[in-house]
Amino acid sequence: MIKTRLWRWWRAFAYLLGELVASIVSMGLFMVAAVLTPLLLFSGGWLVAPRAVAALRWWATKARHRAARFSGKPLAATYAPIPENPSFEERMRLVFSRTTGRDSLWLVAHGLLMPMITLLCIGLPLSALNSILIPTYWYLLPPDQPVTSLYPVTSWEGASWMLLVGLGYAAISWWLIPATAMGLTWVQSRILVLPSKSSLVERVTALTASRAAALDAHAAELRRIERDLHDGAQNRLVGVVMMLGLAERTLEKNPEDALPHVRRAQQAATEALAGLRTAVHDIHPPILDELGLEGALSALTGRSAIPCMLMLTELHRVPAALESASYFIVAEALTNANKYSAATEVTVAVSRGEGRLGSTDKLLISVEDNGRGGAFERPGGGLSGIRRRTAAFEGVVELESPAGGPTTVRVELPCGW
């Protein structure tokens, strides 16, 4: 029993010590924000707002992890994805969202109040130890500079009373430190976790945005299929009809000359069939049903014109819609690399793990080439298609492509449905 209580006390002490260090960082962040925010408001500060909010989310997520490890209760927070190139209205919604407001409130409280509370609690056991040790060294100090705890110690009688003072400090810290640690964990959880109603509002907003993105992606996919059928199979089938018509007329007049027309019609029909198969494959690759995502990606990277290294880590099976989206995201990224990068090597890494905001059970996709770099997103391009597919699942896309390379496309898709 005593051993268990001692372990709990030590965990609480270590938690408060860690929060003291973290609160000093929060204080620094708060001071930097307080100084820079007025300046940024009048000098294009809205341009850095997404990065600032992302940093705030990351730091608040770290606090949730610390509190969850101590309390044993998970503290989940659902954030709406940050657009890659947000408009002014999206930046405004991002800065003034409920989650950003709560994270900002936590940062202020954590940076201004937490240091005082944790210093007080951590100082109690140290004061207890010092008070108990005073009788061993008080007489070594000069008479005009006595040891001072609750009172100046100038005699053996005063030093002996320090033992009781030390025991009092120890008793207070024995009770106060675990209680304070639990209380601070509860307060932080109340600030950092949105109430159910507010979480529902945030979730509805996120679902509305993802639904709009899904509809856009669906409309774009229908337009692509229509274009492929019109420019490919439909034109070839028209050619087949014309060639068969020529063969029919030639057969009536000169049967010996009809055979070449029939052969050309057969070739055109074969090409039309291949186009139809390609269109059907682009809607949902059958290989996904046969081999799963791992096998489909292996086949996809094996067909790449650029030598491709594939790294898969504990994928298992994910929802079919997510498998299809992941397959096409990698396919589009490889197509871009083959067309524009002039790369000699491409690395594709797909795994399940923790995302950049700390949320778990994410499908993480990374496609990196060693090409010339300088890639950018343009309307209707491959990167724009990747963003549409990702937004439909409330995922996140990051593009890094400095001049000279390398170019890296990172995608996070939630798969804990």
Side-chain angles (χ1 to χ4, degrees):
M1 182 65 178
I2 296 178
K3 185 177 180 180
T4 302
R5 289 289 304 274
L6 184 61
W7 170 246
R8 291 177 181 174
W9 183 92
W10 173 249
R11 286 188 68 246
F13 182 83
Y15 173 72
L16 292 179
L17 187 60
E19 286 302 306
L20 174 61
V21 177
S23 65
I24 295 174
V25 177
S26 295
M27 182 186 299
L29 293 176
F30 169 71
M31 293 175 65
V32 170
V35 172
L36 294 183
T37 299
L39 299 177
L40 293 175
L41 289 176
F42 300 101
S43 60
W46 292 110
L47 298 177
V48 299
R51 293 183 179 273
V53 172
L56 178 61
R57 289 180 175 183
W58 175 82
W59 187 236
T61 299
K62 292 295 183 182
R64 292 187 188 92
H65 287 173
R66 292 194 303 271
R69 281 196 302 269
F70 177 73
S71 65
K73 300 177 181 178
L75 301 180
T78 302
Y79 290 116
I82 299 177
E84 183 68 21
N85 296 304
S87 63
F88 180 76
E89 292 76 12
E90 289 174 328
R91 295 173 193 268
M92 290 285 288
R93 287 197 298 269
L94 185 64
V95 171
F96 293 104
S97 66
R98 289 181 174 87
T99 53
T100 302
R102 282 186 168 261
D103 289 348
S104 300
L105 176 62
W106 166 82
L107 182 68
V108 174
H110 194 254
L112 298 183
L113 300 179
M114 186 69 76
M116 295 183 291
I117 298 173
T118 52
L119 275 175
L120 174 63
C121 292
I122 292 173
L124 279 173
L126 299 179
S127 298
L129 180 62
N130 177 62
S131 298
I132 293 173
L133 292 177
I134 282 177
T136 64
Y137 69 85
W138 73 271
Y139 56 88
L140 299 176
L141 299 180
D144 57 339
Q145 294 180 355
V147 177
T148 301
S149 182
L150 288 180
Y151 54 85
V153 178
T154 58
S155 65
W156 283 105
E157 182 181 0
S160 62
W161 282 106
M162 281 291 105
L163 296 175
L164 294 178
V165 172
L167 293 176
Y169 281 147
I172 294 174
S173 66
W174 180 260
W175 170 84
L176 184 62
I177 285 181
T180 302
M182 290 301 296
L184 291 177
T185 303
W186 181 83
V187 171
Q188 290 194 88
S189 66
R190 296 288 292 179
I191 297 177
L192 289 172
V193 179
L194 287 174
S196 56
K197 290 184 178 180
S198 298
S199 298
L200 182 60
V201 172
E202 292 280 342
R203 185 61 180 158
V204 169
T205 302
L207 288 175
T208 301
S210 65
R211 179 178 180 273
L215 291 175
D216 290 342
H218 179 67
E221 194 69 11
L222 289 178
R223 289 194 298 269
R224 183 190 63 78
I225 295 171
E226 188 275 335
R227 183 175 62 250
D228 290 346
L229 291 176
H230 181 272
D231 298 340
Q234 179 177 319
N235 287 341
R236 292 189 179 95
L237 289 174
V238 171
V240 170
V241 172
M242 294 177 61
M243 292 173 191
L244 288 176
L246 288 173
E248 180 183 12
R249 289 193 293 272
T250 304
L251 187 62
E252 293 174 352
K253 297 179 180 180
N254 191 359
E256 291 80 6
D257 296 336
L259 183 59
H261 295 296
V262 174
R263 287 175 175 171
R264 285 196 294 272
Q266 183 184 24
Q267 179 64 29
T270 301
E271 294 175 354
L273 180 60
L276 286 173
R277 286 174 175 169
T278 301
V280 171
H281 177 275
D282 290 343
I283 295 174
H284 183 76
I287 193 172
L288 283 173
D289 295 328
E290 298 170 3
L291 303 179
L293 183 58
E294 296 183 5
L297 290 178
S298 297
L300 178 63
T301 54
R303 295 194 302 268
S304 174
I306 303 173
C308 187
M309 178 185 297
L310 177 63
M311 296 184 294
L312 303 175
T313 307
E314 297 181 358
L315 292 187
H316 308 297
R317 292 308 297 261
V318 296
L322 198 62
E323 284 187 341
S324 179
S326 304
Y327 178 88
F328 285 118
I329 286 171
V330 174
E332 195 65 62
L334 289 178
T335 299
N336 284 353
N338 289 326
K339 285 184 177 180
Y340 309 114
S341 70
T344 59
E345 185 180 42
V346 179
T347 301
V348 178
V350 185
S351 62
R352 292 179 71 161
E354 183 175 300
R356 65 175 184 174
L357 297 178
S359 49
T360 57
D361 207 5
K362 294 277 190 177
L363 188 64
L364 309 176
I365 302 172
S366 173
V367 181
E368 179 178 338
D369 66 68
N370 62 349
R372 64 171 67 104
F376 63 93
E377 183 177 339
R378 61 181 182 277
L383 293 173
S384 178
I386 290 175
R387 188 171 300 283
R388 281 198 308 270
R389 291 183 185 275
T390 305
F393 293 89
E394 299 182 58
V396 178
V397 179
E398 288 183 347
L399 171 65
E400 295 180 5
S401 185
T407 296
T408 305
V409 179
R410 295 188 183 89
V411 177
E412 294 181 11
L413 297 172
C415 55
W417 296 358

